[in-house]
């Protein structure tokens, strides 16, 4: 994973010539406030991180910054704290710590990583399509910011890939709502949702179904001309799909019904 590879250089770095604190499994002795030198604190934090005790590690990295704010290791401890919160699943703290890093070091060479970590922290919180998509929108916005600000970094390529996945997720949400309206006979409301998918998310995996559902909705609204146009677009772009077959059958059945009257 890119985020772990990017932090590898930081996570394996140990300040030399000092003993670690708190060799036991608990974190109380490590995290309670005691004035300690930067070497001892940083190494204790790294030890906890290496042992998978991520929240304790984050608290200790925070202590490095708090007790030694002017040390060269304070900046690195901020990054390691954000990373520790991220792998612990505390995404809000990861975002908060990363934003603080950017506010203090906006032009730092590790700023792209901080932005990327914020984007990933939103991305990891994306819910299923049946729930509110505010976090999904935030993930899309921050991923886009990474790609725009740092186009020549390795983070940009991964952000672009994840943006495609997020767009597919948002399209799925529109489809879920559109099908909900269809089941209740609210054809105009359904049409609006399917049009949104075609206009905003035309490159996603939902586009073909959206065109078929739009064909259905137009026929139900009594607009066969628009239904035929939509089916034609579906046939031109997805000629071998099951969605085109269904749309084709719908249009033909509607035409036969009209011809028999």
């Amino acid at each position: 994973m890119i985020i772990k590879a990017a932090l590898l250089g930081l996570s394996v770095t140990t300040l030399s010539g000092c003993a670690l604190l708190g060799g036991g499994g608990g974190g109380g002795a490590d995290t309670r406030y005691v004035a300690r030198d930067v070497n001892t604190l940083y190494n204790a934090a790294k030890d906890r991180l290496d042992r998978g005790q991520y929240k304790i590690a984050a608290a200790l990295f925070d202590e490095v910054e708090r007790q030694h704010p002017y040390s060269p290791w304070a900046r690195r401890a901020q990054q390691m704290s954000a990373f520790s919160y991220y792998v612990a699943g505390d995404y809000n703290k990861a975002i908060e710590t990363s934003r603080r890093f950017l506010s203090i070091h906006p032009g730092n060479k590790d700023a792209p990583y901080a932005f990327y970590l914020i984007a990933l922290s939103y991305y990891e919180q994306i819910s299923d399509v049946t729930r509110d998509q505010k976090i999904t929108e935030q993930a899309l916005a921050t991923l886009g910011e990474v790609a725009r600000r740092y186009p020549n970094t390795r983070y940009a390529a991964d952000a672009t890939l994840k943006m495609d996945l997020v767009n597919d997720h948002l399209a799925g949400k529109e489809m879920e709502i559109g099908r909900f309206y269809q089941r209740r006979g609210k054809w105009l409301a359904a049409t609006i949702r399917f049009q949104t998918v075609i206009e905003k998310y035309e490159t996603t995996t939902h586009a073909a179904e959206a065109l078929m559902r739009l064909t259905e909705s137009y026929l139900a609204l009594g607009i066969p001309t628009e239904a035929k146009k939509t089916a034609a677009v579906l046939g031109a772009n997805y000629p071998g799909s099951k969605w085109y077959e269904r749309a084709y059958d719908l249009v033909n059945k509607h035409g036969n019904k009209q011809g028999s009257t």
Side-chain angles (χ1 to χ4, degrees):
M1 186 177 182
I2 287 178
I3 185 171
K4 290 185 178 179
L7 259 287
L8 185 60
L10 297 180
S11 62
V12 301
T13 304
T14 308
L15 300 188
S16 61
C18 51
L20 300 179
L21 292 182
D30 277 7
T31 57
R32 68 170 180 261
Y33 184 85
V34 177
R36 286 168 271 182
D37 64 271
V38 65
N39 293 9
T40 301
L41 270 176
Y42 191 92
N43 283 343
K46 180 201 171 293
D47 178 59
R48 294 294 182 170
L49 180 61
D50 290 345
R51 289 157 60 184
Q53 298 173 347
Y54 303 123
K55 288 195 173 183
I56 297 174
L60 285 165
F61 282 124
D62 287 343
E63 277 298 296
V64 173
E65 182 192 359
R66 181 161 36 190
Q67 294 191 29
H68 306 279
Y70 304 111
S71 163
W73 292 92
R75 174 183 57 79
R76 182 161 292 190
Q78 267 189 312
Q79 292 178 298
M80 296 303 296
S81 172
F83 173 71
S84 299
Y85 282 125
Y86 171 79
V87 292
D90 193 341
Y91 301 119
N92 290 334
K93 288 291 289 184
I95 291 168
E96 177 188 330
T97 305
S98 295
R99 290 198 185 282
R100 189 172 71 252
F101 174 86
L102 288 168
S103 69
I104 299 171
H105 313 285
N108 187 271
K109 64 180 179 62
D110 292 318
Y113 168 77
F115 266 105
Y116 179 68
L117 185 57
I118 291 169
L120 280 189
S121 295
Y122 283 124
Y123 182 81
E124 296 290 351
Q125 297 180 78
I126 292 176
S127 59
D128 65 70
V129 296
T130 62
R131 300 176 63 186
D132 179 74
Q133 298 300 299
K134 181 179 179 182
I135 288 289
T136 310
E137 296 282 2
Q138 289 175 307
L140 185 62
T142 50
L143 287 166
E145 192 77 353
V146 171
R148 184 182 66 82
R149 285 175 178 255
Y150 310 105
N152 299 319
T153 66
R154 54 182 162 173
Y155 308 117
D158 191 61
T160 300
L161 173 62
K162 284 183 167 58
M163 285 171 67
D164 290 339
L165 296 174
V166 173
N167 277 321
D168 201 79
H169 187 87
L170 290 170
K173 178 65 175 181
E174 294 294 327
M175 292 300 300
E176 194 270 335
I177 296 173
R179 288 190 293 265
F180 172 84
Y181 285 137
Q182 276 193 327
R183 290 192 295 269
R184 282 153 182 76
K186 297 181 179 181
W187 300 103
L188 183 57
T191 296
I192 293 171
R193 295 293 179 166
F194 299 137
Q195 284 176 330
T196 297
V197 174
I198 295 164
E199 292 168 6
K200 290 183 64 177
Y201 309 110
E202 61 179 358
T203 61
T204 69
T205 60
H206 300 280
E209 183 185 356
L211 286 164
M212 190 282 295
R213 299 289 180 188
L214 194 55
T215 301
E216 281 183 328
S217 299
Y218 282 141
L219 289 173
L221 287 168
I223 318 175
T225 302
E226 292 301 317
K228 289 178 182 178
K229 288 180 182 178
T230 304
V233 172
L234 177 54
N237 289 277
Y238 307 96
S241 70
K242 65 178 181 180
W243 303 116
Y244 175 61
E245 291 177 5
R246 288 178 61 176
Y248 180 84
D249 289 342
L250 283 169
V251 170
N252 279 345
K253 286 178 182 178
H254 185 270
N256 291 335
K257 285 180 181 180
Q258 283 190 322
S260 64
T261 58

